[in-house]
Amino acid sequence: MLTYIKKNKFQNIILLLIIITNMALYVYGNYLKVNLVNALMKSNISKGLFWFLLSLIIFLIMMIIRKIEVVQTEKTTQTQLNLIRKDILKNLTSLTYQEFSKESKDQYNSWLNNDAILLDTDGYKEIYFMIENIFLVLFSSFALFTFHWILFATTLGLALILLILPKLFQKKMVKATQEVSNSAEKALKESNDKLKGYEVIYHNQQFDFLTSRLLQVYEQLKAVKISKAKLVSTAMMCTVGLSFLSQSVILGVNALLAFQHIVLLGTLLVSGNFAGNIFNGLNTIADCFTIALGTDKLLTKYPKVSNQ
């Protein structure tokens, strides 16, 4: 999929800049809460009001940028999907009739439609969400480092553990995505075959056969999708549980530093938030990477279409 990101470089650079700006404003807006809390603790109402209004302005700007990001993400993704379709069609139209007939028309149709949906939702959208969380983790880590290096070091150690966990599910995720794709192709082929022969079915009054046969393949598709959902939910359950435990550790360390007057009490309000950004962000990065990598394997089915 990266090949098509490179081909669509300009739109991706714009999207990257939008993502960076949005995440920087999000972290900075949370960082200002330290100043807000410290001002209120000192009963400095004017400064407290200033930091509150500044945080509100940043939030409103961030909402506008978020809307732009959603539109740009869709625009960029659809452009890349059409580039993939173009390469598939270019290859198909260069085949001889005998070569073309080696695969069914339903399968070619599935490549252009069903697989494109997977490449959209479980491919490019996951990549961009992963990039968004990478910058969220980087900016939140920097914010914690400015509080105290011990907070950053503790977070880094726990982060390494969180990054290892998703690798246990990587191969299974690739297999599950492939099974969903194959089952969708089978369902589409069966549906087309039966509906093309509807005249015969109508003549012989075989409506029960039509219904049962189509429902059978759709039940198979349902089963593999549920199986994949179970796998995704198991992976998420493990990583989210470890993330919650890690956030508790960070809050404990921050509390000890605050009681020893090494950091300001105001940091307790946001350190947990930043730690949550880091751990949840790492979970999301790992999940997105696993899902996108599994989806990327779909491109190996198409002759002359790169999945690099």
Side-chain angles (χ1 to χ4, degrees), residues 32-246:
L32 292 179
K33 292 179 182 178
V34 176
N35 297 330
L36 174 60
V37 172
N38 289 332
L40 293 177
M41 290 176 64
K42 295 177 181 179
S43 300
N44 193 330
I45 303 300
S46 59
K47 278 192 175 182
L49 183 61
F50 170 78
W51 293 120
F52 171 75
L53 291 175
L54 183 58
S55 297
L56 182 61
I57 292 171
I58 290 175
F59 175 78
L60 293 174
I61 295 173
M62 190 179 69
M63 290 297 98
I64 296 172
I65 294 176
R66 179 60 181 169
K67 179 180 179 180
I68 297 172
E69 180 186 338
V70 170
V71 174
Q72 183 63 28
T73 299
E74 191 65 38
K75 180 180 178 181
T76 305
T77 300
Q78 292 304 320
T79 298
Q80 282 147 199
L81 291 177
N82 282 341
L83 287 173
I84 293 174
R85 290 187 178 108
K86 181 180 179 181
D87 280 355
I88 293 173
L89 291 170
K90 182 179 179 181
N91 179 61
L92 292 180
T93 54
S94 67
L95 298 175
T96 63
Y97 182 78
Q98 290 75 15
E99 291 173 330
F100 183 86
S101 301
K102 288 181 180 179
E103 303 285 353
S104 69
K105 295 176 183 178
D106 295 330
Q107 182 166 346
Y108 296 139
N109 191 25
S110 180
W111 290 359
L112 296 169
N113 294 281
N114 291 335
D115 287 357
I117 293 174
L118 282 174
L119 288 168
D120 179 1
T121 58
D122 291 354
Y124 286 114
K125 295 289 175 58
E126 293 290 337
I127 289 175
Y128 295 130
F129 193 43
M130 179 177 68
I131 292 172
E132 182 177 286
N133 278 274
I134 287 173
F135 283 102
L136 177 61
V137 168
L138 289 175
F139 292 142
S140 296
S141 297
F142 178 76
L144 276 180
F145 186 79
T146 61
F147 293 156
H148 200 275
W149 68 268
I150 291 179
L151 285 173
F152 175 73
T154 305
T155 302
L156 183 61
L158 293 169
L160 292 175
I161 299 175
L162 282 168
L163 287 174
I164 294 172
L165 184 62
K167 292 185 180 296
L168 301 175
F169 300 94
Q170 187 169 311
K171 289 184 179 179
K172 291 182 179 180
M173 192 64 68
V174 171
K175 182 181 178 182
T177 302
Q178 189 64 55
E179 288 176 348
V180 170
S181 174
N182 293 339
S183 185
E185 285 184 7
K186 182 180 178 182
L188 182 63
K189 181 178 184 300
E190 190 70 27
S191 177
N192 284 338
D193 287 344
K194 293 297 180 289
L195 292 177
K196 285 177 183 177
Y198 183 77
E199 291 79 5
V200 176
I201 292 172
Y202 181 81
H203 178 75
N204 295 317
Q205 296 293 294
Q206 293 180 315
F207 301 118
D208 291 339
F209 168 76
L210 172 66
T211 302
S212 63
R213 184 59 187 149
L214 290 182
L215 287 179
Q216 182 181 347
V217 293
Y218 286 125
E219 283 295 323
Q220 292 172 356
L221 178 59
K222 170 187 171 182
V224 294
K225 284 192 172 184
I226 291 175
S227 179
K228 181 183 177 183
K230 288 180 179 179
L231 180 61
V232 172
S233 63
T234 300
M236 291 180 65
M237 181 181 66
C238 292
T239 51
V240 169
L242 185 57
S243 173
F244 178 79
L245 179 61
S246 299

